[in-house]
């Protein structure tokens, strides 16, 4: 029987041929995000390697299926209605660390925090800031993730990128348009980060690890451990979003299961049973309160993905 005889109209045939049972259907996405909220993906595929990530995207393109990349899901708010099309969870995990030259290559699916520890242990400095950031290297490059005065832009040398035409290219740091929680990938969703190269500096392992311990301690003191997506809003120029939210009296504010952390006002936590709509409504409420108190319109750092009603963050409180 020819392959075409097996194809089904309306089915993602190329994906089925590539993945078989590994193409999962109607998969709840909440457990794949740090907020633990959100509805199902029509289809979910896990990319365990860079090669499989490239193949999955090619198949989705052949099928004409919209696709969304998910790293560790620590900066996204997935709609309760879920995501139409294919969600690709990136779990490619190869790393190469050259302790002599400081050249570090990591697949997009590598955890930033793990890479921070692994490089510190061999006496390479520059990624210590990432120890408390629960994202993947891909997500960290997209967001130019940063903390404690450091960020991805400080040490990234280049990124390996899948372009919309299916070709793979190496883009140098200057071409990544990295800024405060910004990169070219935030504007161009059809480019995919496959991996990144960093150039790290030599430093005593004990010193690197002491820095990591200090950063961990600072986080424990200042941030909640409940399910969240880290900072909800970007800091506006010259001030901290958390400070404005705190001064506007938002700590402890609650809608459904979503609550503004009493420990850090820019962290909105899932206090139990939150829906994505609860979180979005709380974001809208906080935005309105800060705007009416200070005339500053906060911009979300977290990204809403999936099937949302229009303008979910505008609110009407
Ligand atoms: C407790 C906590 C603390 C945090 N602290 C910080 C902090 O200190 N500093 C900070 O900057 N952030 C922080 N964050 C936010 C978050 O961890 C970062 O933004 C992280 O870089 C997101 O990575 P991710 O893999 O989870 O991305 P995801 O949330 O999975 O995805 C984010 C966006 O990037 C896209 N994307 C992901 N991978 C790729 C890829 N390979 N190619 C193309 N697009 C891709 C997704 O489609 C999505 O649009 C925190 C989050 C939590 C939960």
């Amino acid at each position: 029987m020819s392959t075409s005889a097996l194809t089904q109209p309306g089915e993602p045939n190329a994906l089925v041929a590539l993945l078989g049972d590994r193409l999962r259907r109607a998969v709840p996405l909440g457990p794949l995000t740090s907020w633990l909220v959100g509805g199902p993906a029509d289809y979910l595929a896990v990319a365990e390697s860079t090669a499989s990530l490239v193949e999955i995207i090619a198949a989705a393109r052949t099928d004409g299926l919209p696709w969304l990349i998910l790293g560790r899901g620590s900066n996204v708010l997935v709609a309760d209605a879920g995501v139409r099309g294919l969600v690709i969870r990136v779990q490619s995990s190869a790393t190469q660390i050259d302790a002599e030259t400081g050249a570090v290559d990591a697949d997009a699916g590598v955890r930033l925090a793990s890479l921070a520890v692994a490089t510190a242990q061999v006496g390479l400095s520059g990624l210590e800031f990432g120890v408390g950031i629960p994202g993947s290297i891909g997500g960290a490059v997209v967001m130019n993730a940063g903390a404690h005065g450091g960020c991805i832009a400080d040490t990234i040398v280049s990124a390996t990128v899948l372009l919309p035409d299916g070709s793979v290219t190496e883009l140098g740091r200057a071409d990544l348009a990295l800024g405060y929680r910004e990169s070219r990938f935030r504007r161009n969703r059809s480019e995919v980060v496959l991996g990144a190269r960093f150039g790290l500096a030599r430093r005593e392992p004990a010193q690197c690890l002491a820095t990591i311990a200090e950063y961990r301690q600072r986080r424990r003191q200042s941030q909640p451990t409940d399910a969240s997506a880290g900072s909800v809003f970007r800091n506006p120029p010259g001030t901290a979003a958390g400070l404005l939210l705190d001064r506007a009296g938002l700590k402890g504010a609650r809608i459904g299961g979503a609550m503004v952390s009493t420990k850090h006002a820019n962290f909105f936590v899932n206090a139990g049973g939150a829906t994505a709509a609860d979180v979005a409504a709380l974001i809208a409420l906080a935005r309105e309160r800060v705007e009416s108190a200070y005339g500053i319109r906060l911009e979300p750092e977290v990204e809403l993905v999936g099937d949302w009603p229009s303008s979910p963050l505008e609110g009407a409180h």
Side-chain angles (χ1 to χ4, degrees), residues 34 53 68-76 90 108-109 112 129 132-148 181 185-186 189 191-194 219 223-224 226 228-231 267 301 303 305:
S34 58
L53 177 55
L68 172 77
I69 300 285
L70 195 63
R72 292 284 155 181
S74 63
N75 201 52
V76 288
V90 182
L112 173 59
F129 74 87
I133 302 179
S136 63
I137 289 297
V141 172
V142 170
M143 293 303 298
N144 185 21
H148 312 290
R181 304 296 168 266
F185 308 105
R186 295 266 279 171
R189 307 325 307 246
E191 292 184 347
V192 178
V193 178
L194 300 177
R219 274 191 193 258
Q223 297 179 2
D226 320 62
S228 79
S231 294
F267 278 54
E301 178 172 318
E303 194 185 323
V305 298

